[in-house]
């Protein structure tokens, strides 16, 4: 079995109902933080981690995603003619080479585990990454790269992990910790969105995974779990029983839950403030805005 992780699955079939009406006509992965769509952040992170093949699990109505990564010859020509080379560079950054991206369709929304299983034939017998585009992680070293480095030491399965407030833990997959080694924790159980009284910890799974082909195999027969969906968490948990090879990884970085409106707004503000061309004006505006609101209270 190959050990290097060069393939990543991006489950992008979700309806994005939390962002209606915007997502009535555009995929939620095209929603922008400042001027880059969520999907671009995910692809950039994967590329920096050494990923060479990008597998999108899509659904009906996601055509805009395919177009986004395609060449745009008319636009290119017009930018060239106007000598707008900076913009041309920005444009080229979003274009993927032919054959780099593969698209598979998930015909029915049966859950994250099922979405990952849809990519089975393109993965084969090698470890692979899964990136959930809702989880945007700002970090000096991209989160997936940190995980791939950790994986070189541990092998097996690694999931990104982060402590969340206990009141919010039930919205996540949670880890039952066997041994806490700091950044790495070995895991003796995993449970998807448990009732608060059943939560094994408040160490939550965040949307970055490096998984063994065994997980894919488990998914083939995985019964529906939390929410009546086929859960990736459950298929990973089976590997603990079989091989005891599942780790949580506390990454360095700031995670934004861009699947929620509040998280999306926080990410927008943070990314805007981090931008040299925007920060000064934007910060001034924010301070004024906050002062005015406070004064009015
Ligand atoms: C998914 C996973 C869950 C994980 C979460 C991280 O849930 O099923 O285990 O904790 O992503 O964002 P979702 O948020 O898609 O319901």
């Amino acid at each position: 079995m190959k050990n290097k992780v060069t393939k990543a699955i991006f489950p992008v079939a979700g309806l994005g109902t939390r962002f209606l009406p915007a997502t009535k006509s555009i995929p939620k992965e095209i929603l922008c933080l400042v001027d880059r769509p969520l999907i671009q952040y995910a692809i950039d992170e994967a590329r920096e981690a050494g990923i060479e093949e990008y597998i999108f699990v899509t659904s009906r109505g996601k055509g805009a995603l395919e177009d986004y990564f395609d060449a745009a010859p008319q636009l290119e020509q017009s930018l060239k003619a106007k000598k707008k080379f900076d913009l041309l560079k920005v444009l080229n950054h979003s274009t993927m080479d032919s054959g780099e991206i593969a698209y598979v369709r998930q015909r029915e929304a049966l859950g994250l585990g099922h979405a990952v299983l849809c990519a089975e034939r393109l993965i084969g017998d090698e470890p692979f990454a899964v990136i959930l585009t809702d989880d945007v992680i700002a970090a000096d070293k991209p989160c997936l790269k940190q995980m791939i480095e950790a994986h070189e030491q541990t092998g097996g399965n690694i999931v990104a992990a982060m402590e969340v407030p206990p009141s919010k833990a039930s919205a996540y997959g949670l880890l039952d910790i066997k041994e806490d080694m700091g950044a790495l924790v070995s895991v003796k159980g995993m449970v998807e969105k448990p009732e608060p009284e059943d939560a094994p910890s408040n160490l939550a799974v965040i949307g970055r995974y490096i998984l063994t082909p065994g997980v894919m195999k488990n998914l083939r027969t995985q019964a529906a779990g939390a929410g009546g969906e086929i859960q990736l968490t459950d298929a990973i948990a089976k590997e603990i029983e079989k091989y005891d090879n599942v780790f949580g990884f506390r990454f360095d970085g700031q995670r934004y839950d861009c699947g929620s409106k509040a998280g999306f707004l926080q990410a927008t503000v943070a990314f805007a403030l981090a931008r040299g061309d925007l920060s000064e004006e934007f910060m001034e505006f924010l301070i004024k805005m906050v002062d005015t609101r406070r004064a009015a209270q």
Side-chain angles (χ1 to χ4, degrees):
M1 188 180 88
K2 203 173 113 186
N3 264 329
K4 197 162 175 255
V5 184
T6 59
K7 296 180 181 174
I9 301 174
F10 300 80
V12 289
L15 292 176
T17 47
R18 278 195 268 178
F19 284 93
L20 279 170
T23 46
K24 188 175 164 197
S25 66
I26 52 160
K28 73 170 171 178
E29 296 78 14
I30 293 285
L31 296 178
C32 280
L33 295 176
V34 189
D35 51 14
R36 273 162 77 201
L38 291 180
I39 191 68
Q40 183 76 60
Y41 287 90
I43 292 282
D44 288 349
E45 182 179 332
R47 197 185 286 286
E48 285 183 60
I51 297 300
E52 294 162 5
E53 289 179 56
Y54 306 79
I55 302 162
F56 281 31
V57 182
T58 70
S59 60
R60 182 170 291 274
K62 296 278 181 163
L65 273 173
E66 296 189 31
D67 291 342
Y68 175 78
F69 288 109
D70 203 354
Q74 254 186 339
L75 194 52
E76 271 172 45
Q77 261 168 20
S78 122
L79 290 176
K80 256 184 216 155
K82 291 180 190 148
K83 300 206 182 330
K84 296 194 169 171
F85 298 113
D86 281 0
L87 287 179
L88 206 56
K89 219 166 129 192
V90 171
L91 190 67
N92 284 339
H93 184 73
S94 68
T95 308
M96 305 285 277
D97 281 346
S98 301
E100 255 187 331
I101 300 193
Y103 299 92
V104 293
R105 283 239 179 162
Q106 185 186 24
R107 285 175 47 176
E108 268 181 286
L110 298 179
L112 176 60
H114 179 260
V116 168
L117 181 64
C118 290
E120 184 183 20
R121 269 180 257 184
L122 298 175
I123 292 293
D125 191 27
E126 56 187 279
F128 58 97
V130 177
I131 296 191
L132 307 187
T133 52
D134 277 357
D135 283 328
V136 175
I137 300 173
D140 290 339
K141 185 187 282 186
C143 178
L144 191 66
K145 192 172 178 158
Q146 297 175 37
M147 290 171 70
I148 284 183
E149 287 175 6
H151 184 254
E152 280 160 14
Q153 312 299 320
T154 60
N157 299 279
I158 299 200
V159 301
M162 181 181 114
E163 262 85 17
V164 296
S167 61
K168 295 201 170 156
S170 289
Y172 293 88
L174 299 175
L175 301 180
D176 195 353
I177 299 170
K178 184 168 105 184
E179 192 188 347
D180 198 330
M181 298 167 277
L184 272 174
V185 297
S186 65
V187 168
K188 62 174 180 223
M190 281 174 87
V191 38
E192 181 70 14
K193 301 189 177 73
E195 294 299 324
E197 59 274 21
D198 298 328
S201 75
N202 63 333
L203 188 59
V205 177
I206 300 301
R208 302 287 183 278
Y209 307 76
I210 296 176
L211 302 175
T212 54
V215 173
M216 203 57 108
K217 223 178 272 164
N218 298 343
L219 281 169
R220 274 189 222 150
T221 52
Q222 186 61 55
E229 298 190 336
I230 297 172
Q231 296 293 352
L232 184 57
T233 301
D234 296 341
I236 301 171
K238 285 208 177 122
E239 290 299 280
I240 305 174
E241 291 157 30
K242 289 191 207 163
Y243 304 110
D244 193 15
N245 65 354
V246 178
F247 300 87
F249 178 73
R250 292 191 184 94
F251 52 92
D252 278 329
Q254 174 71 44
R255 173 253 185 178
Y256 298 96
D257 173 12
C258 290
S260 79
K261 285 176 196 151
F264 192 91
L265 287 170
Q266 287 159 15
T268 302
V269 171
F271 281 91
L273 287 175
R275 280 271 295 256
D277 57 334
L278 297 171
S279 61
E280 207 175 310
E281 189 183 339
F282 188 52
M283 180 137 72
E284 221 171 89
F285 166 79
L286 276 182
I287 292 170
K288 239 188 239 162
M289 191 82 179
V290 171
D291 284 349
T292 317
R293 300 284 300 196
R294 279 220 184 108
Q297 271 171 6

